[in-house]
Amino acid sequence: MLGGLGAPARAAGPLNVGVLIPGSKSDKGWMESGYDGMKAAEKNLGTKVAVKFIENVKFGDMEQVLVTLAGKNELVIGIGGQTQASVFKVAPRFPKVKFAIIGGNADPKKPDNVSGYDVRQAEIAFVAGASAAMLSKTGGVSYVGGLEIPAIKNAGIEFGKGAKYINPNIKYFESYTGDFDDVAKAKEATLAAIAQGADIHYHILNLGLRGMEQAAREKGTHIIGSYTDRCGTDPLYVAYSITGVGFQVEYAMEQVAAGTWKPEFKPFGLAMGPKSSDMVICKATPEQKAKIEEIKKDLLSGKIKVLDA
C-alpha cells in the first residue's frame, strides 16, 4: 500500500472523478480497457465515487476538457500518454486536484499534483513477439503502431526481439500509420505485411484495429490482441497481451478513495502481477505455456533486458 498513516482524511461524500478518454470507449483496445477499469472501480467503490467521463477528445481540445473536469472533480484521469502534455499544463492551475496519467512516462517537469503510471508496453510486447513466433505457420509476423513516438516505437522493437528470441530467422515487418484511429492505413499496412509472408499480427492501435481486422479476415491470418484477455470471443484473435490500462484506472481511483494516493511516477508491468501485465495464448499447448512463463520469469529477473518505455 502507498501512503498510509498520516494521510489526510477526505471530506464526507463521494469522491468525484473526471476521466478523459481521447478515443472511443469501444475500440477493443487501450481506450476500452481504460473504460472497463473505470466501470470496475465504480462497481467496487459503489457510493464512494461519482464518475463522469468524456470520450473522443482531439489533442487540440484536451486542455479545455481537462479544465472543465478539474473544475468539478477531486481526481482527473487522462487515459493515454497523449494526455500528458495537456495535463502538465492544466494541473498547476488546480493545485488541490489530483491528476493521474495512464501511460505516462517519467518526466522531471511533472507537477506536484500529478501521478504517472507506466504500463510497460515494451516489456509485454517482447512476450507477445515470442508468442507470435510460436504461433506463426509461415515464419512471418508483423506489428502496426499508431503514432511513431518512443513508447509505441519501443514496443515494436521489443516485439521484433521477442519473435527472434524464439526463431532467429523469422521475418518481421514493422510499420506506423501516424494515427491510432486510421482504419484505412492500418489495413494497408497489414495487407503489405501479409503479402510479404506475415500471418500473425500485433498492434498498438485504437479504432485503427478495425483495419487490421479487415485485412486478416480477407487473407485468413490472425491477430494478437492487446490490453484485455478476450479469448473465445473472436476466432480472428489467437492470443492477447494484457496491458493493465483498466487496472491502473482502478488503482488511481482506489488510492484516492483510501487516502493513500501520492504524486509519483510508477512503473507497472509484470512486476505488479497478472492484472497489470500478462500474456495469454488462447489455445496454448503445455509447451507454449511453459515457454511464456519462462520468458516472464527471465524478464522479471533481468536475464532478458528490454527498453523501459
Side-chain angles (χ1 to χ4, degrees):
M1 293 291 289
L2 296 176
L5 297 176
R10 284 191 60 256
L15 167 68
N16 292 304
V17 181
V19 181
L20 167 58
I21 303 175
S24 167
K25 70 180 191 299
S26 55
D27 67 353
K28 288 189 182 178
W30 180 288
M31 303 301 161
E32 186 165 342
S33 176
Y35 175 78
D36 288 346
M38 181 192 82
K39 298 304 288 185
E42 273 188 296
K43 183 178 179 180
N44 293 340
L45 293 168
T47 57
K48 293 180 182 178
V49 296
V51 183
K52 302 286 186 186
F53 73 93
I54 301 174
E55 65 175 321
N56 292 314
V57 180
K58 294 179 180 178
F59 184 81
D61 298 326
M62 284 183 191
E63 195 171 332
Q64 184 55 50
V65 168
L66 287 167
V67 168
T68 300
L69 291 173
K72 301 175 182 177
N73 296 285
E74 297 167 68
L75 170 65
V76 174
I77 301 173
I79 298 182
Q82 63 266 54
T83 69
Q84 181 160 305
S86 299
V87 168
F88 279 19
K89 286 182 181 178
V90 172
R93 296 165 56 184
F94 296 89
K96 294 183 179 180
V97 176
K98 298 172 176 65
F99 292 80
I101 302 164
I102 310 302
N105 55 42
D107 191 322
K109 298 177 183 176
K110 184 182 75 63
D112 292 338
N113 56 334
V114 175
S115 58
Y117 303 143
D118 176 16
V119 299
R120 302 213 72 205
Q121 287 186 105
E123 179 184 65
I124 201 62
F126 184 96
V127 193
S131 300
M134 287 189 274
L135 290 165
S136 176
K137 293 179 172 61
T138 63
V141 299
S142 72
Y143 167 83
V144 179
L147 291 176
E148 197 168 351
I149 57 179
I152 311 304
K153 183 81 174 171
N154 289 346
I157 290 168
E158 294 301 345
F159 179 80
K161 285 183 182 177
K164 291 180 185 298
Y165 184 81
I166 296 295
N167 176 6
N169 298 315
I170 201 159
K171 292 180 289 183
Y172 172 49
F173 309 99
E174 179 182 331
S175 58
Y176 300 87
T177 63
D179 187 327
F180 293 111
D181 296 316
D182 193 316
V183 174
K185 285 184 179 178
K187 181 177 182 179
E188 181 184 345
T190 306
L191 286 172
I194 293 169
Q196 296 176 83
D199 67 340
I200 302 291
H201 319 295
Y202 189 56
H203 72 94
I204 295 183
L205 298 167
N206 294 333
L207 285 175
L209 177 58
R210 303 290 189 269
M212 179 176 281
E213 290 177 332
Q214 290 169 14
R217 282 202 177 93
E218 286 176 14
K219 300 298 183 180
T221 59
H222 292 89
I223 299 171
I224 294 178
S226 298
Y227 311 114
T228 304
D229 176 5
R230 302 183 192 277
C231 281
T233 62
D234 187 340
L236 198 64
Y237 289 82
V238 289
Y240 289 90
S241 67
I242 296 163
T243 318
V245 177
F247 177 75
Q248 292 180 33
V249 173
E250 289 184 71
Y251 181 89
M253 290 171 64
E254 288 168 356
Q255 290 291 305
V256 176
T260 55
W261 181 93
K262 61 182 180 182
E264 62 179 342
F265 171 73
K266 186 175 182 64
F268 278 66
L270 291 170
M272 288 288 285
K275 288 186 177 180
S276 171
S277 186
D278 205 357
M279 187 71 220
V280 179
I281 294 178
C282 296
K283 295 180 180 178
T285 65
E287 292 78 15
Q288 288 169 341
K289 286 182 180 179
K291 193 64 180 177
I292 287 173
E293 290 306 312
E294 177 191 310
I295 290 170
K296 286 162 52 181
K297 182 179 177 181
D298 287 347
L299 283 162
L300 284 168
S301 72
K303 184 177 179 181
I304 297 175
K305 298 187 184 302
V306 294
L307 296 162
D308 283 338

